[in-house]
Amino acid sequence: MTEERDTGSGAPAGTGRRRTRRLPWRTALAAAGGLAMLLAFPGWSLPPLAVLGPAALALAVRGQRARSGAWLGLVCGLAFFVPLLSWTGIYVGAFPWLALAVSQALFLALLGAAGAAVSGLRLWPLWTAALWVADEALRGRLPLGGFPWGRLGLSQTDGAFLSLAAYGGVPLVSFAVALTGTLLAAALLALARVRRAAGGGATRGPALRTAAALVAAVLAVPLLGALAWTPLPGPSLTAGGPTRTVAVIQGDVPEAGLEFNARRRAVLDNHVQQTVQLAAAVAAGDQAQPDLVVWPENSSDIDPYRNADAARQISRAAEAIGAPILVGAVVEGPGRYLSNTGIVWDPETGPGDTYVKRHPVPLAEYVPARGFFRFFSDKVDLVRRDFAHGTEVGVLDVGGAPVGDVICFEVVYDSLVADTVRAGAGMLVVQTNNATFGYTDESEQQLAASRLRAVEFGRTVVVAATSGISAVVAPDGSLARRSELFTPAVFVEDVAQRDSTTVAERLGAAPEWVLTALGAGAVLAVAAPALRRRQRARRAAR
């Protein structure tokens, strides 16, 4: 099973002093890998660089003990997550930001340890790539429902790897990126062996063939992704089903930051005013009559069920435009809770069907164990009341369109979006409020997730944001329309209501679980013999 003898933890025999001497350059290499992944994500938007992260970490942990691998994984994680998640601390200070970044980096420490353990196995690039998926699966579920932000697949908004979302979702895209990286690492090691064997004809031939095969494998993965585009939907918004004319309203907020909702009536008025102006443009023949209108999350932080004036303003907008509006509202109840709610507001009958956000953000929309977390930061008290967890899938009939509603960060949770499509969504709507993150890369990173979802399910995705970025994403992940930050915007587009199913939709979480099992099995293949050896050694010592 192994390429070389190990010391019980995936490391070849060697002195501790030699390993210590090598650790500084390995640490630098791991940090470089984290920075390469950062550059792949929106903000820098260089998706091909994502493969360098797994490549660098694989080279850094190769032949190391699990303990050293954990350190190198932590370094890689910190170099990646600390800058990637800097938007989380823009208005609440450094502690929450760094605490979140460190917590996510600890998962990469676990990955580094596991990668070091399996690095002596045959086919180690495959097992290591599978471990990336396993690590992301764990990080996306634990703790408190997980935080699947910054997965490798979410960096691939363009290029060959993006197509693979239609066959296995974000996990398969992450696997393809990681496998390309680990194969690249193996190819570099093989080329180094060719160089060392330059003077020996007997060994040079096999080394050269191995290196050539690995280089071919590196190129094969993105080539397969490029070929996978052939049967997938293109950039057309209207192909594939009956169309509905959709209007997206970005009303903007008075100011960026946590206090955007201190003037919540102004936010509501902004969205009403933009809708009324659209109605005037429709009457003048400058815009098409929409069948439905989409407002963002927090477009009415005044509960329209309890506040008659807020209800009148929303009704005024709906009557002016002559179409139902999907309103993002903060609603009182149930009980002591608030509910982050999408409400279908009909111009004739008023409020109708609703969707309540199923995954409110821990420590931002609700605070578990408030006393414990207050010990670390009093910022938790900015969340004065906890939001309820919705229980129903958000497929709503809005103007005859079966709209699948997900709210804000829910777009990065695979199961929440998959449930919505399976329940019959002909298009996806992401209602979001990014005003609390100012002029940071958060909006771009969230939009990237919407682009992956469009390809994964072959659906147009409409993003409605209070302050940007609002967008209309075609089924191939391309941007048909997009707004800028903190600028009012209105889009009107005909959108097909599609009922086709992708391979990813049919398989569900199966690719993630299969790849996770492969990675876990490789770790067990190393750990089980090592454990038996230790047990024999203990018995012999008695």
Side-chain angles (χ1 to χ4, degrees):
M1 282 291 292
T2 58
E3 292 177 329
E4 54 193 348
R5 299 296 298 173
D6 64 33
T7 60
S9 58
T15 65
R17 180 178 302 173
R18 183 181 180 187
R19 190 176 293 110
T20 302
R21 285 201 306 267
R22 289 182 174 180
L23 200 56
W25 74 260
R26 293 179 184 272
T27 300
L29 183 59
L35 292 175
M37 290 191 294
L38 174 69
L39 295 176
F41 274 78
W44 297 91
S45 299
L46 299 170
L49 295 186
V51 301
L52 299 183
L57 185 59
L59 289 171
V61 305
R62 173 84 166 144
Q64 296 295 289
R65 293 182 181 273
R67 182 170 53 194
S68 297
W71 161 252
L72 294 166
L74 179 64
V75 169
C76 181
L78 290 174
F80 175 53
F81 283 114
V82 170
L84 183 80
L85 300 178
S86 59
W87 48 265
T88 61
I90 191 73
Y91 294 116
V92 296
F95 183 81
W97 156 40
L98 295 176
L100 178 62
V102 170
S103 72
Q104 299 306 295
L106 289 173
F107 285 96
L108 277 190
L110 182 62
L111 174 63
V118 304
S119 66
L121 295 176
R122 296 188 187 278
L123 303 180
W124 64 266
L126 175 63
W127 316 133
T128 304
L131 283 170
W132 276 89
V133 177
D135 193 75
E136 292 183 350
L138 188 64
R139 187 165 65 82
R141 291 167 173 82
L142 297 172
L144 301 174
F147 187 64
W149 202 273
R151 291 185 287 172
L152 281 175
L154 294 178
S155 67
Q156 300 303 297
T157 52
D158 292 296
F161 295 122
L162 176 58
S163 66
L164 299 176
Y167 301 90
V170 179
L172 185 59
V173 181
S174 290
F175 176 71
V177 173
L179 182 61
T180 304
T182 55
L183 287 170
L184 177 61
L188 292 173
L189 291 172
L191 289 170
R193 287 193 292 272
V194 169
R195 183 178 179 184
R196 289 196 298 270
T203 58
R204 181 176 171 81
L208 193 57
R209 286 192 294 272
T210 299
L214 285 167
V215 170
V218 171
L219 299 175
V221 180
L223 178 60
L224 180 63
L227 293 174
W229 277 112
T230 305
L232 298 183
S236 172
L237 299 179
T238 56
T243 62
R244 293 291 184 274
T245 303
V246 182
V248 184
I249 305 295
Q250 178 176 303
D252 202 11
V253 300
E255 58 184 303
L258 295 178
E259 297 304 315
F260 81 94
N261 62 354
R263 296 167 61 187
R264 51 190 181 167
R265 177 53 191 269
V267 177
L268 173 58
D269 287 346
N270 285 353
H271 288 84
V272 170
Q273 186 62 31
Q274 290 296 319
T275 307
V276 170
Q277 289 177 5
L278 172 61
V282 170
D286 297 328
Q287 288 280 18
Q289 169 64 47
D291 296 307
L292 66 148
V293 178
V294 181
W295 285 6
E297 177 190 28
N298 296 121
S299 49
S300 179
D301 270 356
I302 306 170
D303 183 350
Y305 293 117
R306 297 190 176 215
N307 187 292
D309 187 49
R312 279 194 299 272
Q313 291 303 310
I314 298 171
S315 292
R316 181 168 75 92
E319 290 165 6
I321 196 62
I325 301 174
L326 180 58
V327 179
V330 174
V331 173
E332 293 282 339
R336 64 184 178 86
Y337 294 99
L338 299 170
S339 293
N340 193 342
T341 308
I343 306 171
V344 180
W345 203 284
D346 189 88
E348 296 180 358
T349 59
D353 291 344
T354 62
Y355 167 66
V356 177
K357 187 176 183 180
R358 290 185 284 165
H359 191 98
V361 180
L363 306 179
E365 291 179 304
Y366 76 100
V367 182
R370 188 178 290 265
F372 171 78
F373 285 106
R374 188 186 290 115
F375 177 79
F376 298 98
S377 174
D378 61 2
K379 297 295 185 182
V380 297
D381 290 328
L382 292 171
V383 184
R384 296 181 179 89
R385 295 176 61 187
D386 290 342
F387 280 76
H389 291 67
T391 58
E392 300 294 329
V393 177
V395 177
L396 307 169
D397 186 325
V398 190
V403 171
D405 190 18
V406 295
I407 298 178
C408 200
F409 287 178
E410 288 186 325
V411 71
V412 299
Y413 290 87
D414 296 351
S415 62
L416 296 181
V417 185
D419 287 350
T420 305
V421 175
R422 290 195 194 101
M427 60 180 284
L428 288 168
V429 166
V430 181
Q431 293 180 290
T432 187
N433 167 35
N434 300 324
T436 50
F437 305 115
Y439 291 89
T440 67
D441 293 331
E442 186 274 344
S443 295
E444 292 278 7
Q445 291 171 18
Q446 189 181 72
L447 179 58
S450 296
R451 297 177 70 176
L452 267 291
R453 297 304 180 198
V455 177
E456 181 177 359
F457 297 108
R459 299 287 192 276
T460 295
V461 179
V462 171
V463 182
T466 50
S467 56
I469 300 169
S470 298
V472 179
V473 184
D476 68 346
S478 61
L479 295 176
R481 302 288 294 273
R482 63 160 288 166
S483 70
E484 300 302 321
L485 289 171
F486 298 100
T487 304
V490 176
F491 306 145
V492 180
E493 293 287 347
D494 290 335
V495 175
Q497 305 303 299
R498 302 172 62 93
D499 60 5
S500 58
T501 59
T502 61
V503 175
E505 182 185 346
R506 291 192 289 271
L507 293 178
E512 183 180 46
W513 289 118
V514 169
L515 292 168
T516 296
L518 283 176
V523 173
L524 288 175
V526 174
L531 182 59
R532 287 195 294 268
R533 284 195 296 269
R534 290 193 185 98
Q535 290 173 339
R536 286 196 297 267
R538 289 194 192 100
R539 286 195 294 267
R542 290 174 183 168

